[in-house]
């Protein structure tokens, strides 16, 4: 479908088209389209902008990634479809390994996603030949690489499901999530939940990584003082403020 660039929702419609094409190409799953719709709904409430509390979480995430000894970025179908380049740039900046981990896993889909990441510039992407399992998970999400997610100390998991986020935390890892749903189990379970849109969040984390790489004192300070509960409280309070503002606008219009 050709979307006119003058359409007021052009960017959002183009993103949807990207995902639909990725579904047709066997990269994203239909469930991924549903997940995207949920994300979009939350992004409306956030005004489709990165909130101040999300920025704080993104800086903390960068500090934990820079500090990590074995950081890994986990990629699924939606992430590959929407942000392959952003993932590769961030992985190079940290530097971190990339591992494809799929809920709806098949060998063909795994290979397509690895190829797509390769086209975006990634080398040595893990995922196709797992040699370990994440304890406590029955789904194919449990399959992992010892040299990747299984052995990682810090894992960035964009658009994750809550079960795996919880299982990774149980393994003692620092889990950084990117999920627009401020109430999801993933957001609740992660060590550093980023409540922001994927394609805004990843380049912002990359920018902070580049800032913090040469400043170990600041990295230590941020990772020591980051307060997850306080940050999530600020996210909810930001949402409340946005909704109150919208109510006021409507009251004025009603007069
Ligand atoms: O590729 P697979 O087989 O691994 O499957 C991937 C999906 C996304 C289908 C799978 O991980 C899944 O079912 O995820 P959930 O449990 O639906 O969670 C996805 C979360 O991501 C939801 O809470 C959405 O609000 C959120 N989300 C969706 N799109 C975005 C987003 N968050 C940030 N940015 C987005 N673009």
């Amino acid at each position: 479908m050709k979307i006119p660039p003058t359409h007021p929702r052009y960017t959002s419609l183009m993103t949807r088209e990207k995902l639909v094409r990725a579904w047709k190409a066997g990269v994203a799953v239909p469930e991924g389209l549903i997940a995207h719709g949920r994300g979009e709904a939350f992004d409306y409430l956030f005004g489709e902008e990165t909130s101040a509390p999300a920025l704080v979480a993104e800086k903390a995430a960068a500090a934990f990634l820079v500090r990590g000894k074995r950081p890994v970025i986990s990629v699924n179908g939606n992430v590959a479809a929407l942000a392959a380049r952003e993932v590769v740039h961030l992985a190079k900046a940290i530097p971190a390994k990339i591992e494809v981990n799929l809920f709806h896993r098949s060998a063909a889909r795994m290979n397509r996603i690895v190829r797509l990441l390769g086209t975006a510039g990634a080398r040595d992407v893990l995922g196709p030949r797992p040699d370990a399992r994440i304890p406590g998970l029955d789904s194919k999400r449990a399959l992992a690489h010892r040299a990747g997610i299984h052995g990682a100390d810090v894992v960035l998991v964009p658009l994750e499901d809550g079960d795996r986020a919880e299982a990774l935390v149980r393994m003692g890892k620092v889990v950084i999530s990117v999920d627009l749903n401020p109430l999801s189990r993933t957001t609740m379970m992660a060590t550093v939940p980023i409540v922001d849109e994927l394609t805004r969040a990843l380049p912002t984390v990359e920018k902070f990584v580049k800032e913090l790489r040469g400043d170990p004192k600041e990295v230590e300070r941020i990772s020591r003082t980051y307060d997850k509960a306080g940050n999530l409280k600020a996210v909810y309070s930001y949402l409340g403020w946005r909704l109150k503002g919208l109510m006021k606008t409507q009251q004025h219009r009603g007069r």
Side-chain angles (χ1 to χ4, degrees):
M1 185 190 151
K2 178 114 181 60
I3 297 157
T6 49
H7 193 288
R9 301 288 308 156
Y10 180 73
T11 311
S12 158
L13 293 178
M14 286 302 286
T15 308
R16 281 195 209 177
E17 274 303 301
K18 230 189 219 178
L19 262 181
V20 170
R21 271 184 224 141
W23 163 62
K24 286 183 182 158
V27 166
V29 284
E31 291 83 350
L33 307 183
I34 297 170
H36 181 74
R38 186 151 27 134
E40 269 187 329
F42 281 111
D43 212 18
Y44 257 86
L45 295 178
F46 284 108
E48 296 174 310
E49 278 176 6
T50 300
S51 67
L55 266 183
V56 170
E58 282 155 7
K59 195 163 193 178
F64 281 105
L65 286 164
V66 165
R67 195 169 171 258
K69 299 215 172 351
R70 298 173 306 282
V72 177
I73 304 177
S74 178
V75 172
N76 64 22
N78 281 44
V79 175
L82 296 181
R85 253 186 325 141
E86 287 82 349
V87 164
V88 174
H89 288 175
L90 176 59
K92 283 186 179 161
I94 296 167
K97 288 187 180 164
I98 300 175
E99 179 167 336
V100 179
N101 178 278
L102 302 176
F103 188 71
H104 309 273
R105 187 183 171 110
S106 75
R109 217 174 136 232
M110 170 65 69
N111 291 335
R112 272 182 222 119
I113 294 173
V114 170
R115 266 203 307 276
L116 198 156
L117 288 163
T119 310
R123 296 283 160 271
D124 306 320
V125 175
L126 299 167
R129 279 176 296 280
D131 54 5
R133 288 188 73 88
I134 297 164
L137 278 187
D138 294 329
S139 70
K140 289 184 179 174
R141 272 259 201 242
L143 299 173
H145 283 244
R146 282 184 204 289
I149 289 168
H150 196 273
D153 56 349
V154 184
V155 195
L156 171 60
V157 290
L159 279 60
E160 182 64 21
D161 66 81
D163 276 10
R164 195 171 70 122
E166 186 176 6
L168 291 171
V169 169
R170 264 203 314 266
M171 285 178 85
K173 300 176 194 306
V174 170
V175 175
I176 301 163
S177 63
V178 179
D179 187 337
L180 274 161
N181 182 352
L183 305 171
S184 72
R185 284 192 66 241
T186 301
T187 297
M188 298 300 159
M189 293 296 161
T191 322
V192 182
I194 298 175
V195 184
D196 195 8
E197 202 279 324
L198 174 74
T199 62
R200 291 198 302 268
L202 296 184
T204 310
V205 175
E206 183 195 339
K207 182 187 77 115
F208 285 131
V209 163
K210 287 179 173 164
E211 264 176 46
L212 290 171
R213 267 187 318 207
D215 195 346
K217 265 199 186 151
E218 186 62 358
V219 165
E220 280 313 309
R221 191 194 64 77
I222 293 171
S223 35
R224 203 180 51 245
T225 55
Y226 169 72
D227 167 15
K228 171 184 164 180
N231 186 254
L232 281 182
K233 244 182 176 169
V235 170
Y236 302 139
S237 136
Y238 176 77
L239 260 183
W241 173 79
R242 282 259 320 148
L243 291 173
K244 266 189 213 139
L246 290 168
M247 264 158 65
K248 271 193 198 143
T249 320
Q250 291 311 315
Q251 275 163 3
H252 286 307
R253 277 192 192 143
R255 272 181 203 151

